[in-house]
Amino acid sequence: MIDLRVAELLASRLCHDLVGPIGAVGNGLELLADDEFGMADDAMQLTSNSARQASAILQFFRLAYGMAGARVGTDLTPLRDLAAGLLQASKSELDWATVAAPEGLPDGAGKMVMNMVALAHEALPRGGKLTVEIGGEAGPRDLIVTASGQDAHLRPESLAGLDENIDIGELSPRGAHSYFTRVLAKRLGSDLEIDTPGEDMLRLKVALPA
């Protein structure tokens, strides 16, 4: 079970991510309503792009945090598309080649991967590449997300959320996400492993039990 404070912090994190694009939509509509300086085309572009970004964030976290991510099918293309949408407005790109789910992938694995993607995305402050591997050569039941880019690292708040002895009352919205991600891994009978396989690289791994 998730502490009520963790749920509140996750809601705060989601609202924080939405404030920017939704605020930009409002700004664009105001410019359209008062086109004194002939900026209608720019205003329409701003409104359209910001609306798409807000929609992408909502769809991604609907699966990552909500009940929609409880089950995963044999085709992982919808998950890949949601991850790509989350990164679209950033300086990071997604490398997710294999979309066929390994046989026996358990319920909750899709939600697990989405939360790993969001956590790894935070680790690329200057942009880079997120590589998602599900099964394959690394391990038939391994979920791996690798962040590659300049100064790839997890912030102190995120690292605090991964601490086994963390006081829930001291969690921040960013720390609540890493905490929730690790809880999901434990719920699948595993744990969240984090290492640095190379310079400017961070790897998140969940090895699912047979």
Side-chain angles (χ1 to χ4, degrees), residues 20-34:
I22 290 179
V25 170
N27 292 337
L29 292 174
E30 288 179 6
L31 289 172
L32 282 172
D34 183 17

Side-chain angles (χ1 to χ4, degrees), residues 165-184:
N165 300 312
I166 183 67
D167 181 351
I168 298 297
E170 297 179 356
L171 278 175
S172 67
R174 194 179 299 277
H177 176 79
S178 58
Y179 175 87
F180 180 67
T181 303
R182 191 174 184 201
V183 167
L184 291 178

Side-chain angles (χ1 to χ4, degrees), residues 4 27 61 114 148 165 198 204:
L4 177 60
N27 292 337
F61 284 106
M114 292 292 96
S148 307
N165 300 312
L204 282 62

Side-chain angles (χ1 to χ4, degrees), residues 115-124 130 145-147 154 177 202 204:
N115 279 275
M116 292 168 70
V117 165
L119 186 57
H121 185 211
E122 290 182 359
L124 292 174
L130 287 185
V145 179
T146 305
L154 287 178
H177 176 79
L202 186 76
L204 282 62

Side-chain angles (χ1 to χ4, degrees), residues 17 24 44 51 54 73 77 91 109 114 121-122 124 137 146 152 157-158 160 162 166 168 176 180 186:
D17 288 355
M44 181 61 73
T77 302
K91 298 179 181 178
M114 292 292 96
H121 185 211
E122 290 182 359
L124 292 174
E137 297 180 1
T146 305
E157 308 100 288
S158 296
L162 298 172
I166 183 67
I168 298 297
F180 180 67
K186 291 183 176 182

Side-chain angles (χ1 to χ4, degrees), residues 93-209:
E93 61 177 329
L94 180 69
D95 179 7
W96 185 338
T98 304
V99 292
E103 185 176 352
L105 198 65
D107 290 344
K111 182 190 292 287
M112 183 76 251
V113 172
M114 292 292 96
N115 279 275
M116 292 168 70
V117 165
L119 186 57
H121 185 211
E122 290 182 359
L124 292 174
R126 293 176 173 81
K129 180 165 69 173
L130 287 185
T131 303
V132 178
E133 302 171 78
I134 300 179
E137 297 180 1
R141 297 178 66 79
D142 287 353
L143 311 177
I144 300 175
V145 179
T146 305
S148 307
Q150 183 181 357
D151 195 27
H153 71 284
L154 287 178
R155 301 186 189 187
E157 308 100 288
S158 296
L159 291 173
L162 298 172
D163 191 328
E164 189 76 39
N165 300 312
I166 183 67
D167 181 351
I168 298 297
E170 297 179 356
L171 278 175
S172 67
R174 194 179 299 277
H177 176 79
S178 58
Y179 175 87
F180 180 67
T181 303
R182 191 174 184 201
V183 167
L184 291 178
K186 291 183 176 182
R187 194 177 286 176
L188 289 171
S190 183
D191 203 349
L192 179 63
E193 305 172 29
I194 298 179
D195 65 354
T196 52
E199 186 177 359
D200 290 331
M201 294 181 67
L202 186 76
R203 180 172 58 192
L204 282 62
K205 176 180 175 181
V206 173
L208 299 176

